[in-house]
Amino acid sequence: MTQETASRDAASQERQADLAGRRKILLGLGRGFGGALVFGLPMLMTMEMWWLGFYMDRFRLALLLVMNMPLLVLLSHHSGFEPTSSWYDDLRDMAIAYGIGILVSLVVLATFGIITYRMPVDEIVGKVALQAVPASIGAVLGRSQLGGSEMEPAQETEQVNYASELFIMAVGALFLSLNVAPTEEMVLISYHMTQWHALMLMVLSIVLMHMFVYALEFRGTEPSLPADTPLWSAFLRFTVTGYAIALLISLYVLWTFGRTDGAALMQVAMAAIVLGFPAAIGAAAARLIL
């Protein structure tokens, strides 16, 4: 009798563990879909993104999709659907995130009437593929966005921790720059600005970055530095380096969306500085928005 009771208890515990595991998976997927909508909706409802998916260079689109894969893997390592113990789990999360991003983009664009069955397959694929990039990033970040956890840097060594901080800043820069880079207003602003305006905007971007990261002391935004670290060292290592990352990401996004084609070097630089402003804010506030 005791043996039968023990067997029933073991079977009951196994069923409960199985149900808990399934619930955890469904909860992670639900947060992934929610994160995809949070990140993707601003661009899913932007006309310029619809047209970019139609006419943008297919090589650049493919390159963006390929480069997004290691980004998703690293994001999963920091803050995926669930804590991961191996790179295989991160690769699995990357594939799931891309699947969620594609599905969310397809459903929303079809609901809005932006894609229809009458359109050429190439146009549908282009529009969905482009929108799947920000949506997939949001899917991976669904846990930190909607699950009450925070995106944290790796803690193994000081060098790894520093690289992780820069990576999180890069993700924040990409997040905000993707929202405004396709719009015509961004290019229009760069045409209206003079070189003095550009210089002032660069200074303002750096000052605001430094204020966000250090002076305002937002929860979770201050990098892990020894207490005796000189201010100039922190400024160079994080603020200046972070702004350089924001500018590089801005240049890449501008090139990807064809904003640099046929433009003079000065025009490209001005556009990068303009886009670098939201990218810098995104980099500095990465721990808040991620």
Side-chain angles (χ1 to χ4, degrees), residues 2 222 265 289:
T2 305
E222 187 174 2
L265 182 60
I289 61 179

Side-chain angles (χ1 to χ4, degrees), residues 63-86:
L63 182 61
L64 178 63
L65 296 175
V66 171
M67 291 186 65
N68 192 44
M69 292 181 182
L71 174 67
L72 293 178
V73 171
L74 291 171
L75 277 176
S76 173
H77 187 66
H78 287 281
S79 178
F81 300 117
E82 58 183 358
T84 56
S85 56
S86 67

Side-chain angles (χ1 to χ4, degrees), residues 37-105:
L37 285 172
V38 168
F39 269 63
L41 267 181
M43 282 156 277
L44 284 165
M45 301 181 72
T46 301
M47 182 179 64
E48 288 87 354
M49 285 289 282
W50 307 338
W51 285 106
L52 277 169
F54 171 64
Y55 68 75
M56 74 178 292
D57 182 81
R58 287 309 187 242
F59 169 75
R60 298 183 190 186
L61 177 58
L63 182 61
L64 178 63
L65 296 175
V66 171
M67 291 186 65
N68 192 44
M69 292 181 182
L71 174 67
L72 293 178
V73 171
L74 291 171
L75 277 176
S76 173
H77 187 66
H78 287 281
S79 178
F81 300 117
E82 58 183 358
T84 56
S85 56
S86 67
W87 288 108
Y88 173 80
D89 294 335
D90 295 323
L91 287 170
R92 177 203 61 196
D93 277 6
M94 180 270 291
I96 294 173
Y98 246 134
I100 291 175
I102 292 171
L103 181 59
V104 167
S105 301

